[in-house]
Amino acid sequence: MRKIVILDAYAGNPGDLSWAPMQALAPCDIYDRGTVATVVERCRDAEMVLTNKVAIDAAAMAQLPELRYIGVMATGFNIVDIDEARRRGIVVTNVPAYSTASVAQLTMAHLLNICCQVQHYTDQARAGVWTNCGDFSYRDMPLIELADKQMGIVALGQIGTAVAQLAQAFGMKVMALTSKAADRLPAGVVKAENLEELLRTSDVVTLHCPLAPDTKGMINAGTLAMMKRNAILLNLARGALVVEQDLADALNQGVIAAAGLDCTTVEPPAADNPLLTARNCYFTPHIGWASYEARVRLMDVITDNVAAYLKGAPVNVVS
């Protein structure tokens, strides 16, 4: 019997979407949450396994003789040992580009929150500070205009390109660190010669690259020291792109001005994560991908991926 196991269904579908199209393809065991320790037990007789953040490593694959397909319910697929899957002939697929608009939107929301301090001033008004200030306009935090500032984008894939377009709509200049040739970049986007040039010249630096050996820890004490003291760092990609203690130190010491983050190296973050108490560090809990509209697209592509595999013509293959 061809069977599907979904290891961690809740994040993508907390109940407002339907698994019925997936269930129509094959019998499904659906678990809201899981851990690495539960993979083998739950998937022992499954041909197809779907996972968002529960890792499937070589040790697990060795104990799952029926496993022929792993569907990653996200764009990043570093949670799966791709080399081992390839060696065993296991098809691995992902879901590209479903959250582009949502992540780009949240990137700008973080930037606008830092520049306009909307939440801070809402809190101040509710606390009566504006009521009692004696002036029609109250401010105790600087306000920053984006026009003519430079945004430096690390990686110009679909999300980076969407962020570039939004930045340009605010009148920002855009520089990108990308493997694309300069003459292939969107109009108005300047190609950075290297990371150092982008960091030294940008007022805002936003990360939209995958996590890989050459990008892990790319933002660290050394690279943060290259940035302007009034610079803003945004990370809506992967937490491990940043050395968290180094960023916390840079914020607390005024090496850079502020950071907006939608991810941490370990999620959820430990209570003692230094960024949780760092000066001018703003968080959202890994929600850039999670708008209703993006999750509808995610569910549609997950289902299409499984259907294509069952027909013998898999799509979005990364193995």
Side-chain angles (χ1 to χ4, degrees):
M1 179 178 67
R2 312 191 85 172
K3 177 182 173 182
I4 302 168
V5 172
I6 304 172
L7 291 174
D8 51 350
Y10 185 84
N13 179 13
D16 55 349
L17 302 173
S18 174
W19 288 109
M22 184 70 71
Q23 292 168 317
L25 297 175
C28 294
D29 289 348
I30 302 173
Y31 299 94
D32 278 347
R33 296 174 179 86
T35 65
V36 172
T38 64
V39 170
V40 173
E41 176 189 352
R42 291 178 174 180
C43 303
R44 198 175 300 279
D45 60 347
E47 176 184 346
M48 295 160 280
V49 174
L50 305 183
T51 180
N52 190 321
K53 292 295 178 288
V54 178
I56 302 179
D57 58 16
M61 292 181 204
Q63 299 177 74
L64 299 173
E66 303 300 319
L67 182 61
R68 296 292 180 271
Y69 173 85
I70 299 171
V72 179
M73 300 186 292
T75 301
F77 49 87
N78 55 294
I79 57 165
V80 176
D81 187 329
I82 296 295
D83 291 337
E84 182 68 12
R86 190 178 293 118
R87 190 179 73 80
R88 292 180 174 273
I90 298 170
V91 174
V92 183
T93 65
N94 76 334
V95 184
Y98 74 95
S99 63
T100 297
S102 291
V103 176
Q105 177 177 300
L106 186 62
T107 300
M108 297 307 294
H110 267 284
L111 181 55
L112 291 171
N113 175 60
I114 292 168
C115 292
C116 301
Q117 292 293 320
V118 174
Q119 185 61 55
H120 168 76
Y121 283 115
T122 298
D123 293 343
Q124 292 286 75
R126 287 175 173 167
V129 177
W130 185 18
T131 299
N132 297 312
C133 77
D135 297 307
F136 81 93
S137 175
Y138 165 80
R139 56 196 178 277
D140 65 345
M141 294 281 285
L143 303 172
I144 302 167
E145 184 175 88
L146 292 175
D148 293 325
K149 301 289 193 303
Q150 178 173 297
M151 175 177 279
I153 302 177
V154 178
L156 204 64
Q158 294 195 51
I159 293 174
T161 299
V163 170
Q165 293 170 343
L166 294 175
Q168 289 174 323
F170 279 93
M172 299 186 75
K173 297 174 284 189
V174 177
M175 175 178 283
L177 183 66
T178 175
S179 60
K180 297 176 182 177
D183 60 0
R184 300 294 299 275
L185 300 187
V189 176
V190 175
K191 182 180 174 72
E193 290 297 321
N194 48 46
L195 178 61
E196 181 173 352
E197 180 190 18
L198 182 140
L199 295 177
R200 290 194 184 282
T201 61
S202 296
D203 302 289
V204 179
V205 174
T206 183
L207 309 179
H208 297 291
C209 54
L211 179 62
D214 62 331
T215 61
K216 183 177 181 180
M218 66 186 302
I219 301 300
N220 51 54
T223 52
L224 286 161
M226 298 175 185
M227 297 174 66
K228 298 180 179 182
R229 291 184 69 85
N230 63 348
I232 297 165
L233 175 70
L234 306 175
N235 183 13
L236 286 86
R238 289 291 182 266
L241 298 173
V242 175
V243 178
E244 292 177 336
Q245 187 64 62
D246 289 357
L247 176 56
D249 291 344
L251 291 166
N252 291 331
Q253 296 166 14
V255 175
I256 66 170
L261 310 174
D262 188 47
C263 48
T264 53
T265 300
V266 176
E267 295 173 336
D272 62 353
N273 185 306
L275 291 171
L276 293 176
T277 54
R279 170 182 171 271
N280 293 339
C281 192
Y282 302 89
F283 280 94
T284 46
H286 206 142
I287 60 171
W289 64 282
S291 69
Y292 177 82
E293 293 81 1
R295 290 185 295 107
V296 168
R297 289 191 291 271
L298 175 68
M299 293 282 283
D300 287 346
V301 177
I302 292 167
T303 304
D304 290 346
N305 283 352
V306 173
Y309 163 76
L310 289 170
K311 291 176 181 177
V315 296
N316 297 319
V317 176
V318 295
S319 56

